[in-house]
Amino acid sequence: MIGCAPIPLLALLAGVVAAPISCSKPEAFAAVQPPAAVASQHDVPQDPVPAAPTQPTRVARPKLVVLFSIDQLATWVFDECKPHFAKDGGFQRLLDSGVHFGECAFAHACTETGPGHATIGTGVPALVHGIVKNEWYDRDLKAKVYCSGDANAAALAPFPEGKGRSAARMLVPTVGDLLQTADARAKVVAVAHKDRSAILMAGNKADVVVWCETSTGRFVTNATWGNAPQWLLEFDAKKPMDAFFGWTWDRIGPASAYDGLVDDRAFEAPHATTKARTLPAVIRGGGDAVRPAFYTEAFVSPISNEAVLQCAIAALRGEQLGKDEFADLLCVSFSALDTVGHYFGPDSVEARDTLLRIDLLLASFFAVLDEHVGAGMWAIALTADHGVGLPPEVAKERGLGGGRGLLHTQCKAAAEQALRREFGVEGGAPFVAHAGEWSLVLDRARIAEARGERSADEAFRRACEVAAMACSRAPGIERGYARHEVEGRTADDNLQIRSLAFAAHERAGDVLIVAKPYWLEPSLPASHGTPHDYDRRVPLLAMGPMLQRGAVCADACTPGLAAVYAAWWLGIETPAASIDALPQSAMAK
């Protein structure tokens, strides 16, 4: 088994920035196509889907629609935990009273938080909404840019740490944006721990978008969404995160819920306070007083979800969502399963316990919705922004392959060496300008300088192909693709098809890298970001008017279907698809 030394919490988090098929048809995106210079002229890639059903009858709108994301909830993680959910828990209510889509998977290969939440908010894959990664290399700036970064987004006086974030990089509107355009009297609110989760689900036209700044433990917003609401000022004044200082994280479920899980593995990172890799763990950030290190450790624990739910309920009541005749939208994202999964592994005791706690949090949230909005008067679509793979050490033990290596560094070195051979140069500036998030960006000017008798375009295309071939031979790499090769995809190459679903403009990089299954960089016990099924397949559960109760829908779909349902319930048009895209088999008879 490959060894992996324990990783300090702060160092680990520096690296945590970050079902095949779509029911949505590409021609339905026509109303909000991105600019021609950005949008590919290819159809959005899909696996075969059932014929679109006839348009269902319009239903009475619920007073409130909830889009709910659980970060890093892979289908396999959900399925393994499902027998242990509480009989009166939130998941069981969704399974009993709503529809479970068992064949749900992202079309795009860039299975990361930013792209996933943008898809949940818009209904379209990364090729269309343009959020191709958590961050990407900007050729003009010659630097990486953040998916929800915006230098023009000003801070509000109460929240100086909230500046510099918005949905400005999105190429299409969210369902929330469309709702506000259709009727400004409707309210759109989003709450999450991660800024990109709240921002990219809701969009810039939302009334309120709130996230938690881990450096201060405060829930903040900025001037993009107007003035700070009074309820948020009052909520922050109570210092909700601080109330958890010294909390002991212990197993909440019965012993049987953790059967088969190992609570002390060498590749897991230790808890910051106890320095052990096991539960129970006291959450104090390793100190005796509330400091930023406490907020960091809280982010890698169920505390994060508890605080986000408290904030969401404060928003529900403070904004009086669902209290008038204008249907509202509330977007909520729980981030802790992602940070816990990265830190300890998705098959860890900590991750299982976090998901069991989410089940109970959902039940309490649904009870609040019943009381505040009225039972039967609200609807919800719940899914995840991406999945996750097993830690490589576990995958190898199970005969699935896997390993660790400096994959991006090795790809960059291999590509650089191959390009120097191709162009017959030894010294000078590098040909590879950037390597990261499963892509390489090449220096066009450097290639043009070394092109010889070839045209600049011909030389650049050849450089991309040479670099891709070099990456394909690097340790731990399944394939490298030149982006123009992906655009000329073949029907029998699923990895290539999935890569096309995020190769928008130049944001995706010039060379796309696909790691072999269960291969990772050494910095994280577990991660995601590949086109492999364990990263793409996530649950989707929907509960609301005109849906079957307790049904399992076998129709293939993407998590973008959550946005289509939200739009249907809200009575608005959506860029994702017409209402005909809703699977008929999920409808109430």
Side-chain angles (χ1 to χ4, degrees), residues 306-526:
E306 294 266 4
V308 166
L309 184 59
Q310 289 180 16
C311 189
I313 292 172
L316 178 76
R317 292 174 172 152
E319 297 293 332
Q320 286 294 286
L321 300 180
K323 284 296 192 179
D324 56 28
E325 66 270 33
F326 309 109
D328 301 320
L329 176 66
L330 174 62
C331 303
V332 182
S333 178
F334 279 173
S335 302
L337 191 64
D338 180 75
T339 51
V340 169
H342 282 301
Y343 190 55
F344 305 105
D347 58 334
S348 64
V349 168
E350 287 86 350
R352 175 65 56 82
D353 192 76
T354 299
L355 189 50
L356 292 173
R357 289 175 181 275
I358 287 173
D359 182 39
L360 301 181
L361 289 178
L362 288 174
S364 65
F365 182 46
F366 296 167
V368 171
L369 291 172
D370 286 341
E371 175 269 325
H372 180 83
V373 184
M377 300 304 295
W378 55 274
I380 185 171
L382 181 149
T383 187
D385 57 345
H386 55 74
V388 66
L390 287 166
E393 293 79 4
V394 176
K396 286 189 72 173
E397 287 179 350
R398 297 184 184 182
L400 300 173
R404 296 186 184 273
L406 298 174
L407 305 182
H408 291 88
T409 300
Q410 291 167 347
C411 281
K412 181 178 181 179
E416 188 68 44
Q417 186 178 44
L419 289 169
R420 290 185 180 278
R421 283 198 304 268
E422 174 70 20
F423 291 100
V425 298
E426 294 183 4
F431 287 95
V432 181
H434 173 72
E437 299 214 32
W438 307 114
S439 69
L440 300 182
V441 177
L442 305 186
D443 187 329
R444 288 177 182 268
R446 177 71 173 110
I447 292 166
E449 179 186 276
R451 71 181 188 270
E453 299 299 316
R454 290 178 276 201
S455 70
D457 286 345
E458 180 187 0
F460 182 73
R461 288 172 68 88
R462 177 57 183 163
C464 291
E465 293 165 5
V466 167
M469 286 188 288
C471 289
S472 296
R473 295 190 292 268
I477 302 302
E478 182 86 10
R479 283 293 303 273
Y481 294 105
R483 189 161 57 87
H484 67 263
E485 291 177 317
V486 170
E487 291 174 351
R489 69 193 186 280
T490 56
D492 60 350
D493 189 337
N494 283 333
L495 292 180
Q496 207 169 1
I497 290 171
R498 294 165 193 170
S499 295
L500 174 62
F502 83 105
H505 197 24
E506 293 179 343
R507 292 178 175 181
D510 300 316
V511 176
L512 312 179
I513 303 166
V514 178
K516 290 180 179 178
Y518 306 107
W519 272 80
L520 295 178
E521 299 275 347
S523 57
L524 296 169

Side-chain angles (χ1 to χ4, degrees), residues 7 36 70 102 108 137 144 146 152 178 190 285 345 350 487 492 509 530 571:
I7 307 160
I70 299 175
H108 58 232
Y137 185 83
K144 292 188 292 185
Y146 182 46
N152 296 319
L178 295 170
E350 287 86 350
E487 291 174 351
D492 60 350
T530 78

